[in-house]
Amino acid sequence: DGGITQSPKYLFRKEGQNVTLSCEQNLNHDAMYWYRQDPGQGLRLIYYSQIVNDFQKGDIAEGYSVSREKKESFPLTVTSAQKNPTAFYLCASTRSGNTIYFGEGSWLTVV
Amino acid sequence: AQSVTQLGSHVSVSEGALVLLRCNYSSSVPPYLFWYVQYPNQGLQLLLKYTSAATLVKGINGFEAEFKKSETSFHLTKPSAHMSDAAEYFCAVSGPIIQGAQKLVFGQGTRLTINP
């Protein structure tokens, strides 16, 4: 089945550690996105990518990094510079500006 | 720049009653508007979208929304609530599509509770 797969579903990060969240899509979508969701708040855009080997910062990019080496993959690294990383992270994708589809999300908790 | 305001972080209705979730937007360009639903610990699912065609948009699960430019509103309604409608609902606005990318700006969400 086509879709967006995020892994892992739950991830724990120690202080000072970098962690990477995986996002893979088999929908042949061109654009991919990462959003962060905090309780009681809407989604905020971290990074997005329109084509392979290109990406742009969103509204809250500090402390995060991404890569887009393949059309299907858009991993997000939460670096130690992100001081408050505990949140629900959502990956999304779209083809040529049509409807944006979301993955099932990943929970990141600092321990 | 675009922004979205959802009036009411929590709405509670009885099963079978009308559901009304309010959304007002601000946009400097003709907007695209969306309603998404999120069930616990899951991603977002598109309910419906407005893209400058008909002002009354019908979506999945019996939901619909009406675009009112004069009121800058895009309220979501359903005539008769069902227990399975209990979820978080997000309104979102987008500006023009640039190079295939569409940047959505989300409201803070409204949690809908259905009372038996």
Side-chain angles (χ1 to χ4, degrees):
Chain A
D1 290 341
I4 302 170
T5 302
Q6 291 187 236
S7 63
K9 180 68 175 180
Y10 299 96
L11 185 60
F12 298 91
R13 191 193 94 168
K14 296 180 180 179
E15 294 286 349
Q17 187 179 47
N18 293 354
V19 294
T20 298
L21 305 179
S22 170
C23 178
E24 303 277 335
Q25 55 94 3
N26 60 5
L27 301 168
N28 197 32
H29 285 177
D30 302 300
M32 298 187 72
Y33 309 77
W34 275 105
Y35 285 88
R36 168 177 172 147
Q37 185 178 19
D38 294 282
Q41 299 188 33
L43 282 69
R44 293 180 289 169
L45 182 63
I46 305 173
Y47 269 98
Y48 66 102
S49 168
Q50 295 154 298
I51 57 173
V52 174
N53 293 323
D54 189 33
F55 47 82
Q56 284 76 42
K57 293 182 178 180
D59 301 318
I60 55 166
E62 184 175 354
Y64 300 96
S65 65
V66 293
S67 63
R68 187 85 185 276
E69 298 177 359
K70 299 186 301 181
K71 186 176 184 178
E72 302 79 18
S73 178
F74 192 43
L76 174 74
T77 296
V78 184
T79 74
S80 57
Q82 171 51 240
K83 299 306 179 186
N84 184 24
T86 295
F88 190 51
Y89 291 87
L90 287 158
C91 178
S93 68
T94 185
R95 177 190 295 172
S96 302
N98 285 320
T99 300
I100 294 179
Y101 294 93
F102 285 83
E104 291 295 298
S106 294
W107 280 103
L108 174 61
T109 303
V110 174
V111 297
Chain B
Q2 287 81 34
S3 67
V4 173
T5 301
Q6 290 184 240
L7 301 177
S9 59
H10 190 192
V11 171
S12 182
V13 303
S14 298
E15 190 175 17
L18 171 71
V19 174
L20 171 60
L21 304 183
R22 299 178 186 274
C23 172
N24 288 88
Y25 71 91
S26 173
S27 179
S28 56
V29 297
Y32 295 164
L33 293 159
F34 306 80
W35 275 99
Y36 282 88
V37 60
Q38 184 181 35
Y39 299 99
N41 291 329
Q42 294 187 23
L44 275 67
Q45 180 183 9
L46 181 70
L47 279 177
L48 49 82
K49 64 180 179 182
Y50 167 78
T51 56
S52 74
T55 57
L56 182 61
V57 182
K58 295 187 182 298
I60 62 172
N61 301 340
F63 285 94
E64 63 181 36
E66 186 173 8
F67 172 71
K68 291 187 177 180
K69 183 177 180 180
S70 61
E71 298 178 8
T72 61
S73 69
F74 191 57
H75 302 330
L76 181 71
T77 60
K78 182 174 180 177
S80 178
H82 191 273
M83 294 300 291
S84 61
D85 294 328
E88 187 95 19
Y89 291 80
F90 291 94
C91 182
V93 64
S94 171
I97 298 168
I98 301 174
Q99 293 183 309
Q102 190 172 56
K103 293 175 61 178
L104 291 178
V105 175
F106 286 85
Q108 292 186 314
T110 297
R111 181 170 299 278
L112 177 64
T113 301
I114 311 297
N115 302 314

